Amino acid sequence: VLSPPSPHHHPRRIKSSVTNAASANAASNNATIPPVNQTSAQRSNASAMAAKDRTPLVRLKAPIVVIGAELRIGTLLIIGLSERGERVVAVSRDQTTPDSMIVKMAYGVHYIHGDLNKPSTFERYIKGAKAVIFACQARSVFNQDREVVQFTGGDTPKSVEYRGISAVAKLAVKANVPQIMMISMYLVTQKTAPEYIWLNKFKRSMYWKRQAELELIRQCKQSNTSYTIVRAGGATGVGILI
């Protein structure tokens, strides 16, 4: 027959266990507390590690901004740039055209509303861009007999193409954008060519195209922004790069 346990036996064991647990906790706490007196090198290293933790997981590429994105040539430029892996910001007066919706879904292009008469509507997208492409044209339609070009929506070659490139070039130069490209028109300097004579009858469209080219050259000449002018020849299938 076993004798009953002493009434003083268990308290001593419990006390010992509590004491050992307290010692273990104290040792653990002491091990994790960082030293109070850190050297300057240690503090710098800690700051660098904290800054590294704040680095964004994804760095976006600098975009190419295409102004006049709703036009056919603007759409073709956006598709070509997207297929090359470029990040494109498309600026247009109409954000929700059928073409823009298809391109947006297919390539993830960011479309924004922009008004050439109000450059502040797209100025922030030009800041930080790697290039700007100006592909704007005054909106126009032929008359019923396809003999006369009629400009719509209050557009004229002077207000859209000349004043437009002037405003865009000013923003690009101010933001130190490396490159700006303007889509112009073939034969724009050939004043005796039949195509020039015929098109220039409508609000002097060829004249203002050329003035827009000269305005771009003037603004970029004394800046860090280089320019390229593409004289597209949609009607003839011929183009010139200057």
Side-chain angles (χ1 to χ4, degrees):
V1 178
L2 296 175
S3 58
S6 170
H8 303 291
H9 183 65
H10 290 293
R12 283 198 301 272
R13 290 177 60 188
I14 293 171
K15 182 178 180 182
S16 175
S17 299
V18 172
T19 303
N20 291 337
S23 300
N25 288 336
S28 176
N29 290 336
N30 289 335
T32 57
I33 296 175
V36 176
N37 297 323
Q38 288 184 321
T39 64
S40 59
Q42 289 173 323
R43 287 193 295 271
S44 299
N45 188 43
S47 300
M49 291 180 67
K52 185 178 180 181
D53 291 339
R54 293 193 296 269
T55 302
L57 296 178
V58 178
R59 290 186 179 275
L60 295 176
K61 296 172 64 175
I64 295 177
V65 179
V66 179
I67 302 174
E70 76 275 13
L71 300 175
R72 179 175 178 271
I73 193 165
T75 300
L76 292 174
L77 284 166
I78 291 166
I79 292 172
L81 291 169
S82 298
E83 290 185 345
R84 284 175 48 187
E86 297 289 353
R87 177 174 164 236
V88 180
V89 173
V91 182
S92 69
R93 287 181 283 192
D94 304 312
Q95 290 178 264
T96 55
T97 63
D99 285 347
S100 69
M101 295 301 294
I102 293 171
V103 173
K104 185 175 183 179
M105 289 188 292
Y107 298 100
V109 173
H110 181 36
Y111 276 81
I112 65 165
H113 169 74
D115 188 343
L116 287 175
N117 295 317
K118 299 176 182 178
S120 59
T121 56
F122 56 87
E123 180 178 5
R124 69 189 183 98
Y125 295 96
I126 289 181
K127 295 177 180 177
K130 66 186 291 186
V132 174
I133 299 177
F134 183 88
C136 295
Q137 288 184 345
R139 289 184 289 193
S140 61
V141 294
F142 282 104
N143 69 347
Q144 189 174 6
D145 297 325
R146 295 187 63 82
E147 294 177 351
V148 178
V149 173
Q150 298 174 339
F151 294 97
T152 62
D155 285 4
T156 65
K158 181 179 180 179
S159 65
V160 173
E161 294 158 48
Y162 173 71
R163 292 177 181 165
I165 193 63
S166 179
V168 170
K170 189 177 296 183
L171 293 179
V173 168
K174 180 181 176 182
N176 285 318
V177 175
Q179 177 82 16
I180 181 169
M181 176 186 288
M182 175 188 171
I183 307 300
S184 185
M185 189 176 292
Y186 186 59
L187 297 176
V188 75
T189 58
Q190 307 299 316
K191 295 182 179 181
T192 59
E195 297 90 341
Y196 181 103
I197 295 170
W198 186 78
L199 287 170
N200 204 49
K201 292 190 299 183
F202 311 114
K203 300 288 185 180
R204 304 180 73 194
S205 58
M206 297 294 275
Y207 169 82
W208 286 113
K209 278 282 190 186
R210 178 55 179 161
Q211 294 307 304
E213 290 183 359
L214 296 174
E215 175 66 9
L216 174 61
I217 294 169
R218 184 187 69 79
Q219 292 210 34
C220 291
K221 194 172 182 180
Q222 303 297 328
S223 73
N224 295 322
T225 300
S226 61
Y227 68 88
T228 302
I229 297 172
V230 179
R231 290 177 179 163
T236 62
V238 179
I240 296 177
L241 180 68
I242 64 172

